[in-house]
Amino acid sequence: MKKILFLVIIFLTILTFSSFAQVIKIGTMAPEGSLWDTTLKEIAAEWDRISGGRIKVKIYTGGSIGNEEDIIRKMKLGRLNGAALTSQGMANIDPDLIALSLPMKISDDEEFDYVFNRIIPDFNSTLDNKGFKALAWTMSGWVKWFTTQPVSTPDDLAKLKIAVDNSDEKVIQIWKRIGFKVIPLALPDLMSGLYSGMAQGTYITPYAASALGMAELTPYMYDMPITPLYAGLFLNSKSWERIPDRYKEEIIAGTSAVIEDFYDKMKKIEDEAVEVMREHGLVITPQTPSSTELWVDKVNTGVDIYVKEMISSEMNRKMNSYIDEYRNKKN
Amino acid sequence: MNTEIKRINRRFFYYLVYIFSALLFIIPVLEIGARIIFRTGVTGSYAYVRQAVLWLSLISGIIAVKENKHLAIEAGVKYLPENIKGRVRIISDIITVIVLACYFFASVSFSFLAFEADEKTGLFFTRHLSFILPAGFFFMFYYNIREFIKKRNKVLSILVILFSVIMSIIPIYNLLSDVAGFSSRFFDSAVDIVFMVSGFALKPLIAVLVVSGVFGTPIFIVIGGITYLLLTVSGGYTEIAVNEIYTVLTGNMIPAIPLFTLTGFILSESRAGIRLINFFKAAFGWFPGGIFIAAIIISAFFTTFTGASGVTILALGGILYVILENYGADKKFATGLLTSSGSIGLLFPPSLPIILYAIIANTDIKEMFIAGLLPGFLLVASVSALGVFYTERKKLKKISIDFKSIVTSVRESVWELFLPFVILFCYFTGLTTLVETGSIAVLYTLIIETFVHKDISLKKLYLITKKSAPVIGGILIILGMSKALSFYMIDEMIPQRLSEWIALKISSKVVFLILLNIVLLITGCIMDIFSAIVVVVPLITPLGELYSIDPVHLGIIFLANLELGYLTPPVGLNLFLSSYRFRMNLEDVYVSVIPFFLIMLVAVILITFVPQLSLLFIR
């Protein structure tokens, strides 16, 4: 009896002590030392400061804890508390969250900025329904074509075999319907696929292209924003609820403050990366208004049906109304 | 009628394996066809292939349980006195049943927690597809407990089942509280007690698992049990173990493993071995030691496909042994040579261990393949050198060149000889991805062995899948369990801590490499290659960085050492296989491999300390 009592006391002591420091585990695909990594570390320091050391953030970089699909499952299972996800991975929580990344839907930074700010409350409630809490959102960069031959019109691209991430069947279908030759490839196969000529191009952010060393394989970049890559820092609702209420407001404010100039920093890094790639032989084909029109027309032929299957009509309607809002204001 | 149903019942899982193996290679073949003809692929094919692997793994895992063929270390049991053997066996059986029950409940909970009801993969609901996990673990549990009840007394059986449920209380709790919204005080305190007890008893329990592993408990149970305990204690997220199994088995490159294994089985069940032996005998026999070289090259050819699963010694050992003996080699030399050739093709493409290493260490598969070539040849050459030396010393007669027999044997074996080139061509020119190359390999061997040589009938094909099932299941289940353990290690940041600790203790790269050699030799000696890769690679990759060893070179060092580990006494895997295949005392097999072990050790040291051997063509 005494023994059991003793054990219970020890157990309770452990329990109370452990509730003092709350560890928040956050996973990301971004590699160590990248802008995401340093930003997350700043956020961690911020939370530590706000909570007086009661909230400790542990960051798992470089996909060491799994890819985005797996990270999301681990958040659902509770082992990970949070994640910094890109719009590519968010579809695994709810496809509505990638509404803005439909190709050729949004044309530039300014438009994105407006629509993004308008739609974030809708995204947040979608997340809420799925058991997640968003602490911050940010733009991260534009996805562009990188090809083995110069491309400026859809017809140029139609001649090439383009590699598309094989994890999202619907995205593959969109490109196929538009009329491009699509090679679905797993990420590990991407580089060797481009190297061997199985694929002759892909779409990717210039920053990622430079990190992968793609300038040598695909020396042509078409400087047209195809789709925005945005990102968010999410916690699962349970972990968020466990954070004491008195810190919550400050945590959100502090996180937003850290992340506010993320995109500006990112743009700077990306510009430098593009400059380095150019020195290594990257040829940049500039975007022209006439070819952009061709792209918008071409892409619209394939997107509509799949929009219906991927994104709820509600979210689609909202997005379109925000875009119209912006365009009307501008005119 | 009744017996008919029983027969189908008994064969049910084999039929399923047959179907899923077929799907696994047909889908990528269709994909390639569609890509070439219509310039676009098959809708959702990749997602289906990945799910097919998951299903194949679990069903094969069930078969491996039914046939009692899961990989296990049997070495320990051999030296136990008779009266203790029985008791050890009971403990091992109890552990197996409990661990499987835990994984059953954890995977039910996983299916419900990880997937939304409306989440889809292709035309199917993902949650429904994931039900193969609980189903698989349930049947493994069922067949084990059924055996147990048959062999032991009823009371003990009931106690074991009861204890299984108690150990599974955490996933049951997660399932009931998160999914069904059920809660009760009694339940909460029951969970707390399990937490507490596992916490206090963690180390002894892990020790029991490890010790039972040495005495024959299947390795996947040992690794799975340890992971489950660690996850229970560190917060109770036991579903994570199942999540890791799901993630790794639905991985992008994993389908290559069953595909190349299947290729190996088709080859070894046809008369391809005999045809190749005839060819190499005719082509190399006139050369001093040529017959030995021929045997080594054939082993290399087969081990490339079958990895280190031991299939080569089992399938070809017999016939090669007879040939070597007729040539004049004594028993000892022939055994030593065949034992050390039992995993000699490990470094040549499309070797599965290379693929797996590249996946786990996140290095480029193509680079690894190229890097393995010279070290692979070095190992082949060093064993061959012994053959030549032996021939000269024993003054064995040479076979004179007979052009006619060379021509006939080439004509007969030309299709099989082409296989490596077909694979290399498809993969390296970018015609196909690695997984697709695997399906091409299956298709190619199927066509030549069934239609060209007519060695294999439809019925035999069924028998081949039946034979390959426990091997594929054994490998893939261990892979899943090991991934779960390595997840725990990464989560606890153990690799970083280990590398920090080692960095403090060892400053010299040379000392580090020597230590690495020793550790890997021991690893290769006690662990099968797939567990070794998944468990050990995450630990050594940060160390490689620390001592600025090229990751590709590190991979080759790793695999070369493991290859040698297989013939390291007392428990290297090949030693057992040879002792079993050639009906020799284990001790005699030990003696027979000594010269081969020594010369291969020199080769491995060269591979370790001369990075150019691995990196010449890629850096």
Side-chain angles (χ1 to χ4, degrees):
Chain A
M1 196 58 213
K2 252 186 187 169
K3 224 177 192 174
I4 292 175
L5 203 68
F6 175 68
L7 290 181
V8 168
I9 288 170
I10 287 184
F11 182 65
L12 288 177
T13 346
I14 294 169
L15 208 69
T16 30
F17 270 109
S18 58
S19 62
F20 266 93
Q22 188 177 352
V23 179
I24 300 277
K25 295 177 175 180
I26 288 179
T28 174
M29 289 296 284
E32 186 149 4
S34 64
L35 181 59
W36 260 115
D37 180 34
T38 50
T39 308
L40 284 173
K41 277 179 184 145
E42 274 177 53
I43 290 173
E46 197 52 19
W47 292 14
D48 194 306
R49 187 189 60 77
I50 292 167
S51 65
R54 298 236 165 84
I55 299 174
K56 298 275 180 212
V57 179
K58 220 168 156 186
I59 302 159
Y60 297 87
T61 48
S64 62
I65 209 99
N67 60 21
E68 294 196 318
E69 187 189 340
D70 190 28
I71 285 176
I72 291 167
R73 272 205 303 273
K74 287 193 171 109
M75 285 165 80
K76 287 184 188 170
L77 296 173
R79 183 71 188 208
L80 271 181
N81 306 93
L85 297 172
T86 67
S87 41
Q88 267 174 345
M90 286 174 201
N92 289 301
I93 297 179
D94 192 315
D96 270 5
L97 296 174
I98 62 164
L100 293 188
S101 59
L102 277 171
M104 306 307 297
K105 191 78 193 177
I106 292 174
S107 43
D108 55 32
D109 273 337
E110 217 176 299
E111 186 173 53
F112 179 81
D113 206 41
Y114 182 87
V115 178
F116 196 39
N117 280 325
R118 289 286 276 135
I119 211 167
I120 281 176
D122 303 310
F123 281 176
N124 284 346
S125 65
T126 304
L127 275 173
D128 198 42
N129 286 336
K130 296 280 176 172
F132 294 92
K133 164 79 187 170
L135 298 181
W137 290 92
T138 178
M139 173 63 174
S140 183
W142 290 94
V143 171
K144 290 169 185 171
W145 291 116
F146 279 79
T147 48
T148 53
Q149 282 158 37
V151 162
S152 63
T153 64
D155 288 343
D156 294 339
L157 191 73
K159 288 179 206 141
L160 305 178
K161 292 177 279 182
I162 53 169
V164 175
D165 180 17
N166 73 359
S167 61
D168 196 333
E169 189 53 39
K170 298 236 170 58
V171 175
I172 297 170
Q173 292 304 323
I174 289 180
W175 293 114
K176 276 186 187 171
R177 273 188 59 85
I178 295 170
F180 295 128
K181 285 174 235 159
V182 177
I183 310 289
L185 282 182
L187 199 60
D189 278 331
L190 173 66
M191 295 309 284
S192 56
L194 288 170
Y195 182 74
S196 64
M198 180 193 280
Q200 296 156 309
T202 191
Y203 60 105
I204 190 167
T205 63
Y207 174 67
S210 105
L212 288 169
M214 279 186 39
E216 284 163 35
L217 294 178
T218 50
Y220 294 94
M221 175 179 115
Y222 181 44
D223 201 7
M224 175 189 68
I226 307 169
T227 160
L229 185 77
Y230 46 96
L233 176 62
F234 306 157
L235 292 190
N236 59 21
S237 304
K238 268 193 182 168
S239 308
W240 176 244
E241 280 155 21
R242 241 182 290 136
I243 289 176
D245 284 337
R246 59 182 184 279
Y247 303 139
K248 277 182 178 161
E249 216 169 292
E250 228 182 315
I251 279 183
I252 291 183
T255 310
S256 310
V258 173
I259 220 155
E260 207 189 339
D261 57 351
F262 177 88
Y263 184 44
D264 289 332
K265 285 188 201 160
M266 192 66 185
K267 267 202 280 198
K268 223 167 151 193
I269 295 174
E270 192 165 81
D271 286 346
E272 285 163 16
V274 169
E275 204 37 57
V276 172
M277 284 198 284
R278 197 150 46 179
E279 280 161 23
H280 283 83
L282 184 76
V283 179
I284 300 170
T285 317
Q287 178 189 18
T288 61
S290 59
S291 67
T292 309
E293 220 163 280
L294 289 176
W295 282 97
V296 173
D297 289 346
K298 183 84 176 170
V299 168
N300 278 338
T301 59
V303 164
D304 284 5
I305 286 180
Y306 286 92
V307 166
K308 279 182 200 137
E309 280 182 33
M310 277 172 83
I311 296 159
S312 69
S313 52
E314 178 69 11
M315 188 61 88
N316 196 31
R317 192 187 55 73
K318 278 182 181 156
M319 173 174 64
N320 286 326
S321 74
Y322 300 145
I323 294 175
D324 291 343
E325 220 172 86
Y326 170 79
R327 291 183 183 168
N328 288 336
K329 262 189 198 170
K330 207 179 156 195
N331 290 332
Chain B
M1 188 59 205
N2 209 0
T3 51
E4 179 70 4
I5 289 171
K6 261 189 188 159
R7 203 168 60 98
I8 290 175
N9 222 344
R10 211 169 43 233
R11 289 190 178 176
F12 176 68
F13 291 116
Y14 295 108
Y15 287 142
L16 280 182
V17 164
Y18 200 58
I19 293 166
F20 280 101
S21 307
L23 280 177
L24 197 56
F25 92 87
I26 290 170
I27 298 173
V29 167
L30 287 178
E31 168 77 29
I32 302 166
R35 197 163 63 216
I36 293 169
I37 300 165
F38 306 110
R39 310 191 138 246
T40 175
V42 178
T43 305
S45 63
Y46 283 88
Y48 292 134
V49 168
R50 290 197 290 255
Q51 293 290 335
V53 174
L54 179 71
W55 279 64
L56 182 64
S57 319
L58 269 298
I59 299 164
S60 306
I62 299 170
I63 290 176
V65 163
K66 280 181 88 170
E67 296 184 3
N68 201 7
K69 274 193 186 147
H70 271 291
L71 289 174
I73 302 169
E74 300 286 353
V77 187
K78 253 183 89 92
Y79 298 103
L80 284 179
E82 272 312 313
N83 54 342
I84 298 183
K85 254 186 207 173
R87 278 179 226 168
V88 170
R89 189 88 225 150
I90 296 184
I91 293 172
S92 163
D93 287 348
I94 293 176
I95 289 174
T96 307
V97 168
I98 293 172
V99 171
L100 286 171
C102 293
Y103 274 87
F104 164 66
F105 286 111
S107 45
V108 175
S109 171
F110 165 78
S111 286
F112 282 97
L113 290 178
F115 302 107
E116 309 280 331
D118 58 354
E119 216 171 312
K120 275 181 135 181
T121 301
L123 295 170
F124 304 95
F125 287 108
T126 313
R127 184 184 283 172
H128 295 173
L129 291 173
S130 77
F131 282 155
I132 188 61
L133 285 155
F137 285 114
F138 175 78
F139 280 107
M140 288 185 220
F141 167 79
Y142 169 75
Y143 286 116
N144 269 297
I145 193 78
R146 201 178 65 170
E147 271 305 292
F148 195 86
I149 294 171
K150 252 190 232 165
K151 280 193 294 192
R152 326 272 179 212
N153 73 50
K154 294 269 161 0
V155 182
L156 187 61
S157 306
I158 290 167
L159 278 177
V160 169
I161 293 176
L162 202 67
F163 198 64
S164 300
V165 175
I166 292 174
M167 283 309 289
S168 313
I169 194 104
I170 288 166
I172 296 175
Y173 176 83
N174 289 344
L175 184 67
L176 289 180
S177 63
D178 283 7
V179 179
F182 171 84
S183 83
S184 97
R185 285 234 152 187
F186 168 76
F187 215 19
D188 287 351
S189 39
V191 169
D192 284 346
I193 289 170
V194 171
F195 263 129
M196 198 167 74
V197 173
S198 331
F200 277 106
L202 181 66
K203 280 177 188 167
L205 283 175
I206 288 179
V208 169
L209 277 163
V210 171
V211 171
S212 86
V214 177
F215 294 110
T217 305
I219 295 176
F220 85 102
I221 293 291
V222 176
I223 297 178
I226 292 173
T227 313
Y228 186 88
L229 280 172
L230 290 170
L231 288 172
T232 301
V233 172
S234 69
Y237 300 107
T238 51
E239 294 84 3
I240 284 290
V242 184
N243 178 62
E244 291 309 292
I245 297 172
Y246 177 86
T247 308
V248 74
L249 293 183
T250 54
N252 274 311
M253 300 291 162
I254 300 301
I257 292 176
L259 285 170
F260 283 118
T261 310
L262 210 56
T263 310
F265 265 94
I266 297 170
L267 281 178
S268 56
E269 290 293 312
S270 71
R271 291 169 49 82
I274 312 276
R275 284 191 287 273
L276 288 170
I277 287 168
N278 287 338
F279 166 73
F280 284 109
K281 230 166 86 182
F284 290 100
W286 53 274
F287 189 79
I291 292 291
F292 297 126
I293 297 175
I296 294 160
I297 292 178
I298 290 164
S299 301
F301 183 92
F302 272 81
T303 43
T304 316
F305 291 101
T306 54
S309 52
V311 176
T312 307
I313 292 178
L314 297 179
L316 289 180
I319 172 95
L320 287 173
Y321 188 86
V322 173
I323 291 170
L324 297 187
E325 214 170 27
N326 287 344
Y327 183 58
D330 61 25
K331 210 173 160 145
K332 198 175 115 189
F333 189 79
T335 310
L337 185 124
L338 292 176
T339 312
S340 38
S341 306
S343 37
I344 200 149
L346 226 73
L347 292 176
F348 298 116
S351 137
L352 295 182
I354 290 193
I355 297 173
L356 196 58
Y357 183 93
I359 295 172
I360 303 286
N362 214 357
T363 53
D364 191 274
I365 294 182
K366 263 187 192 148
E367 284 187 0
M368 287 283 297
F369 278 155
I370 298 168
L373 290 175
L374 280 185
F377 279 121
L378 180 66
L379 285 165
V380 168
S382 57
V383 181
S384 303
L386 266 188
V388 176
F389 176 73
Y390 182 83
T391 317
E392 293 297 315
R393 206 189 57 187
K394 288 261 169 171
K395 303 211 169 20
L396 297 179
K397 60 179 188 304
K398 284 166 206 157
I399 301 169
S400 51
I401 303 190
D402 177 0
F403 285 107
K404 223 171 109 193
S405 71
I406 292 183
V407 173
T408 19
S409 65
V410 167
R411 204 182 294 146
E412 272 183 8
S413 60
V414 64
W415 292 106
E416 279 100 0
L417 288 172
F418 259 126
L419 177 62
F421 299 104
V422 170
I423 289 173
L424 297 182
F425 177 78
C426 286
Y427 182 55
F428 282 95
T429 59
L431 200 60
T432 56
T433 63
L434 184 67
V435 172
E436 290 162 0
T437 310
S439 69
I440 291 278
V442 174
L443 182 73
Y444 181 88
T445 41
L446 262 185
I447 289 176
I448 58 172
E449 305 309 345
T450 48
F451 298 113
V452 180
H453 292 300
K454 300 195 171 58
D455 284 352
I456 289 172
S457 59
L458 208 63
K459 179 144 194 249
K460 181 121 187 213
L461 206 57
Y462 170 75
L463 291 177
I464 289 173
T465 41
K466 193 177 164 182
K467 258 191 175 172
S468 67
V471 174
I472 290 173
I475 292 171
L476 291 178
I477 294 281
I478 287 188
L479 185 62
M481 293 292 187
S482 316
K483 185 74 201 323
L485 182 60
S486 65
F487 163 79
Y488 174 82
M489 296 195 297
I490 290 168
D491 191 40
E492 293 295 317
M493 303 194 163
I494 290 171
Q496 286 97 315
R497 274 193 255 159
L498 180 75
S499 66
E500 277 160 23
W501 183 78
I502 289 185
L504 278 179
K505 304 268 165 191
I506 305 167
S507 55
S508 134
K509 185 173 171 177
V510 176
V511 176
F512 168 72
L513 283 173
I514 293 171
L515 279 178
L516 182 69
N517 274 324
I518 296 171
V519 169
L520 288 179
L521 211 58
I522 297 171
T523 313
C525 177
I526 55 177
M527 249 181 175
D528 74 285
I529 196 152
F530 296 99
S531 329
I533 290 173
V534 192
V535 177
V536 182
V537 169
L539 292 175
I540 66 158
T541 39
L543 292 174
E545 252 169 58
L546 193 66
Y547 295 96
S548 55
I549 299 164
D550 191 285
V552 172
H553 180 215
L554 186 68
I556 301 299
I557 296 177
F558 184 91
L559 295 172
N561 270 289
L562 287 196
E563 183 175 330
L564 189 58
Y566 289 121
L567 34 138
T568 306
V571 283
L573 182 69
N574 287 358
L575 303 167
F576 292 107
L577 295 171
S578 285
S579 151
Y580 163 76
R581 189 71 188 80
F582 306 127
R583 297 204 182 80
M584 254 172 110
N585 266 333
L586 205 48
E587 290 74 17
D588 295 335
V589 179
Y590 292 166
V591 176
S592 79
V593 295
I594 289 172
F596 296 93
F597 177 83
L598 290 176
I599 195 160
M600 283 173 84
L601 182 65
V602 173
V604 169
I605 289 171
L606 275 176
I607 291 167
T608 309
F609 289 96
V610 187
Q612 288 79 4
L613 271 176
S614 311
L615 303 177
L616 188 63
F617 299 122
I618 52 168
R619 294 281 185 266

